Structures are given as C-alpha cells and as structure tokens.
Amino acid sequence: MLQDIIIVLAIMILGIGIGLFIGNRPKIIKIVGALTSFSIFLLLFLLGIGVGTNEKIISNLHTIGIQALVLTLGAVLGSLICAWATYKFFFQTKKSE
C-alpha cells in the first residue's frame, strides 16, 4: 500500500517536473488536455468493466444502490464545494472599489 502511494507520488512529481520543463506551450497543453480527457474516459470505462464483472456487486446492486447514490451525491457535493472554495480563494479577482 505504501509502495503504491510512493509510486503515485513519484509519477505525479515527475509529471510536474516535465510540465515545468516544457513550460507554457499552447499546442502541448492542448494535447495534454486531450490525453487527460481520454485517460479519464478510459479509466471510467475500465471501472465499469470491473463493476460489471464483479458478481458480488451485481447481485447486491438493488441493496447497495441507495448507499451508492448517497455516496455519489456526497462526493459530487463535496467536489463542488471544494471547487467553489478553490476558485473563490485562489482565482477570483478582487473587484475594484
């Protein structure tokens, strides 16, 4: 488990280093954005396959559906609150008085 976390952090730090090295080049940023979106879609697709092949989840889907819905709504609500706070505190420009 700790090894996995270290690998994830190392990959992320490597990506940050490469991003700093590449700099602000619109063409590369556009390609990276497209690859990021594709990767997220692929990850969600693979997650769906994982759920679909898990007999325990499929057989208990009717009982865990409410719990999953509550967890999903909580995650979405928490993400929206964090995104709003991040925008408000770090990116919103102050209006001139």
Side-chain angles (χ1 to χ4, degrees):
M1 180 74 174
L2 181 63
Q3 184 178 6
D4 293 340
I5 293 171
I6 291 171
I7 290 171
V8 168
L9 289 175
I11 290 171
M12 190 170 183
I13 290 170
L14 178 66
I16 291 170
I18 290 173
L20 290 173
F21 179 74
I22 290 173
N24 190 10
R25 297 183 183 151
K27 188 173 182 179
I28 292 177
I29 291 173
K30 187 176 180 180
I31 292 170
V32 169
L35 288 174
T36 301
S37 295
F38 175 76
S39 299
I40 291 171
F41 293 142
L42 179 63
L43 184 63
L44 290 171
F45 177 72
L46 293 173
L47 181 65
I49 290 175
V51 169
T53 57
N54 189 326
E55 286 290 328
K56 192 172 182 179
I57 291 176
I58 294 300
S59 64
N60 293 316
L61 195 58
H62 63 283
T63 58
I64 62 173
I66 295 296
Q67 293 173 347
L69 180 64
V70 170
L71 287 173
T72 300
L73 291 176
V76 169
L77 183 63
S79 297
L80 287 173
I81 291 171
C82 286
W84 172 80
T86 300
Y87 175 76
K88 182 168 178 65
F89 293 117
F90 296 110
F91 297 106
Q92 188 175 27
T93 58
K94 294 182 180 178
K95 295 179 182 175
S96 61
E97 296 176 82

